[in-house]
């Protein structure tokens, strides 16, 4: 578990650096995808899923 969290933090830091740099390349996108897979295997996954679901519901309920 400790190794997974360390990898998640490392990938999160790398993704933020890549996005702030403004040069998101294929290798950077791969890091972001790996971050997503590692986040999905952590205990934060249900919280992230419920947050995304709530956001999608709010956006879906907006009337133009």
């Amino acid at each position: 578990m400790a190794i997974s969290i360390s990898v998640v933090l490392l990938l999160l830091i790398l993704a933020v650096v890549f996005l702030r740099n403004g040069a998101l390349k294929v290798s950077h996108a791969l890091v972001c995808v790996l971050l997503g897979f590692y986040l999905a295997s952590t205990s934060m996954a249900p919280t992230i899923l419920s947050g995304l679901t709530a956001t999608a519901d709010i956006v879906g309920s907006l009337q133009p």
Side-chain angles (χ1 to χ4, degrees), residues 13-31:
I13 291 168
L14 285 173
V16 168
V17 168
F18 290 152
L19 289 173
R20 295 192 108 211
N21 188 18
L24 189 65
K25 298 177 183 169
V26 174
S27 60
H28 304 152
L30 180 62
V31 169

Side-chain angles (χ1 to χ4, degrees), residues 10-58:
L10 174 66
L11 289 174
L12 180 63
I13 291 168
L14 285 173
V16 168
V17 168
F18 290 152
L19 289 173
R20 295 192 108 211
N21 188 18
L24 189 65
K25 298 177 183 169
V26 174
S27 60
H28 304 152
L30 180 62
V31 169
C32 292
V33 168
L34 288 173
L35 172 64
F37 280 113
Y38 277 111
L39 280 175
S41 66
T42 64
S43 60
M44 294 187 303
T47 305
I48 294 170
L49 180 61
S50 65
L52 288 174
T53 303
T55 303
D57 289 342
I58 290 171

